[in-house]
Amino acid sequence: MKHTTLGTLHPADSVSTDGEKGTWYRASLQHRSAFGLKSGTTGWVTKTGIEPQVCMQSD
């Protein structure tokens, strides 16, 4: 099976994930990337390619 590369994430890019398969996360770009990817672009990124961040609201 052949896959198309959509682009490259910039280290400062923020993504949300909504799935995973093996060593991959399904991720959506939150804002336009510094490398030109449009906000909302969705694709698969290797788990070793992103660093998880957790945000929590404190009341």
Side-chain angles (χ1 to χ4, degrees):
M1 180 182 282
K2 221 175 195 187
H3 300 285
T4 302
T5 299
L6 299 175
T8 302
L9 292 173
H10 185 274
D13 287 341
S14 177
V15 299
S16 62
T17 60
D18 66 357
E20 63 180 282
K21 188 172 189 176
T23 59
W24 296 86
Y25 286 124
R26 185 173 186 273
S28 297
L29 194 57
Q30 298 300 300
H31 304 284
R32 184 174 180 84
S33 172
F35 290 147
L37 288 170
K38 293 179 184 177
S39 176
T41 299
T42 300
W44 292 88
V45 61
T46 181
K47 289 180 178 179
T48 59
I50 61 174
E51 181 178 322
Q53 305 253 331
V54 176
C55 295
M56 296 176 10
Q57 182 176 351
S58 177
D59 294 328

